[in-house]
Amino acid sequence: EGLKAKQAAELVRWGQGRGAEVVNHYGPTECTVGVVTHRVGVEEVEAGGQGGSQATIAIGRLLGNVRGYVVSGGEQVAGPGMVGELYIGGAAVGRGYVSEAAETASRFVPDAYSGEAGARLYRTGDVVKYSAAGELEYLGRSDQQVKVRGYRVELGEIEAAVNEEAGVRASAVVVRDEAVSGPQVVCYVVGEDGAEVSGKQLREGLSRRLPEYMVPTVFVMLGELPLTANGKLDRKALPAPMAEPQSSTEAGAPQTVNEELVAGIFSEVLGQREVSVEANFFELGGHSLLATQVVSRVREVLGVEVPLRVVFEEPTVRGLAAAVQQQQRQGKSVAAPPIERVSREGELPLSFAQQRLWFIHQLEPASAAYNVPHAVRLSGELKVGALEQSLGEIVRRHEVLRTRFELRQSQAVQVIEAEARVRLRLWELSALPTASKEEVAR
């Protein structure tokens, strides 16, 4: 799971003078254990591996008679530097799992890349990428992929980035959903020689290398990561993060009416009982989506329209309250205009977001990139008429669900149907054998 450069350096130094070499060795049991190797050189570890003493050493190149593919979404082979799941083919691939036909079918798949009849690939579940030097780098597990604020996140990528930060010996990243503000990316960190690493320092370092949504919201310092009896990371044993204590001193308490109101907004949005005026909104668990809520509540409570960027520029209670006061002095208080119904007669223009999607559709009409499917399994007696009626009522209430785009004189416009019937298609499976019904239904 990633040999650290520092660990490799210690092994290389031990091997010098003993005629021993250090070889990083990778391979799942399903592929005769060893399929990828990397000979660790003295120069490499002296340079700190891939990006510093905390970086991981490459797992290396494929052995003879072994094929490897980095496969990204849509079963496409990824190019150098692109992240994907490692598929292994060739003579090393095992035959499958004894008496586990379904598991064998899901992990041992047809080899669509080699051109060999009957060839198969083993899906390792490991997330990797090819370096510029043509060597495989291990990043984590594909089953650690999660969705945070609408983005798909590979927790292994975050862990790899954290491990490259100065002072970090090991880390584990999980998503926890106990916070009022929604799912949070929590990073557990073990420092070198037991030393504590500053969460602020880590956040600043990661912000320069990762997108904002991938930067952990909370950092928890541990003496050691919990392990299972087999020596693997025990993610279930990672402790729930405790809310960071806020200053109750006079310097941390609101001094003005605006500070008191902004502190209340921060507390409500973040789900915290008390917030110091000097505490950073984003270090307390805030992110860009919650920042929009802050702007909305400032408008509602204080009657001031604050640009979203101000929350990023002034992320403390004191800073944002001062920005609000400046807006008030300039007479920029706002009153929300009444919401009025727009006439549905004539040709309705597309909104900016609709224009963007329409433009993308013209470029790639067959793309499903903006379709977001979601399957829900319902158990019990199915009353088709009631389900159709319920869905039909939703469509009746939300006109966007009965809206289509048309081209009128080279201009895209919205056409809203007065009504739209919802018809559910049914497939009759009762004649099928019981064993195959589930598979066909899926």
Side-chain angles (χ1 to χ4, degrees), residues 20-361:
E21 292 183 311
V22 176
V23 178
N24 200 14
H25 190 74
Y26 165 90
T29 304
E30 291 84 349
C31 297
T32 64
V33 182
V35 290
V36 182
T37 62
H38 171 71
R39 196 175 302 279
V40 184
V42 178
E43 301 82 4
E44 179 181 5
V45 294
E46 286 180 349
Q50 304 158 15
S53 62
Q54 305 311 309
T56 54
I57 296 295
I59 58 176
R61 300 178 185 273
L62 298 159
L63 297 178
N65 290 335
V66 177
R67 294 187 300 275
Y69 307 94
V70 180
V71 181
S72 60
E75 301 299 305
Q76 299 297 313
V77 177
M82 296 177 63
V83 175
E85 181 181 355
L86 178 59
Y87 286 35
I88 295 175
V93 178
R95 296 174 61 183
Y97 303 108
V98 176
S99 303
E100 294 287 347
E103 183 68 12
T104 296
S106 68
R107 305 301 296 185
F108 294 82
V109 297
D111 186 348
Y113 311 110
S114 67
E116 294 182 11
R120 293 189 304 162
L121 296 170
Y122 174 67
R123 297 184 55 179
T124 66
D126 289 328
V127 178
V128 300
K129 68 177 180 180
Y130 272 108
S131 69
E135 295 201 303
L136 287 166
E137 299 175 6
Y138 176 89
L139 299 178
R141 291 285 302 168
S142 61
D143 49 21
Q144 292 179 32
Q145 187 186 77
V146 296
K147 202 164 188 177
V148 178
R149 289 149 49 197
Y151 295 95
R152 292 199 178 277
V153 174
E154 297 284 359
L155 298 182
E157 283 190 71
I158 303 177
E159 288 178 359
V162 174
N163 289 340
E164 293 183 8
E165 291 295 315
V168 176
R169 179 162 64 85
S171 70
V173 178
V174 299
V175 171
R176 307 190 76 110
D177 203 8
E178 298 98 338
V180 175
S181 54
Q184 290 185 323
V185 179
V186 180
C187 179
Y188 297 86
V189 179
V190 177
E192 289 284 358
D193 302 321
E196 188 166 308
V197 187
S198 165
K200 182 179 181 181
Q201 172 189 330
L202 290 173
R203 186 176 287 106
E204 291 175 352
L206 294 172
S207 296
R208 291 190 289 268
R209 304 165 55 197
L210 297 175
E212 181 261 341
Y213 61 86
M214 288 181 67
V215 177
T217 305
V218 180
F219 292 89
V220 180
M221 303 303 155
L222 298 177
E224 293 290 343
L225 294 177
L227 303 177
T228 65
N230 295 328
K232 299 288 186 179
L233 175 65
D234 188 355
R235 294 184 180 273
K236 294 181 180 180
L238 291 168
M242 301 293 290
E244 296 181 14
Q246 299 302 315
S247 172
S248 58
T249 63
E250 187 175 345
Q255 302 295 311
T256 67
V257 173
N258 279 352
E259 287 184 0
E260 187 171 351
L261 293 174
V262 172
I265 292 172
F266 275 26
S267 296
E268 184 180 355
V269 170
L270 296 171
Q272 297 198 12
R273 187 165 57 91
E274 184 180 352
V275 176
S276 165
V277 294
E278 298 296 344
N280 188 296
F281 175 77
F282 299 101
E283 293 179 4
L284 294 176
H287 49 69
S288 55
L289 294 181
L290 291 180
T292 62
Q293 293 187 30
V294 170
V295 169
S296 175
R297 296 187 193 196
V298 166
R299 183 194 310 117
E300 179 183 346
V301 174
L302 292 159
V304 172
E305 187 71 53
V306 177
L308 181 60
R309 61 175 174 76
V310 173
V311 182
F312 289 88
E313 294 170 353
E314 301 290 351
T316 65
V317 169
R318 180 153 290 161
L320 185 57
V324 168
Q325 187 174 12
Q326 185 177 5
Q327 294 280 80
Q328 291 170 331
R329 287 174 178 170
Q330 295 174 356
K332 293 185 177 180
S333 297
V334 296
I339 299 176
E340 298 180 353
R341 183 176 179 83
V342 176
S343 171
R344 294 319 192 242
E345 297 179 2
E347 297 177 350
L348 300 176
L350 270 57
S351 69
F352 292 128
Q354 289 173 331
Q355 288 177 21
R356 185 170 67 92
L357 288 174
W358 173 259
F359 176 77
I360 293 173
H361 180 67

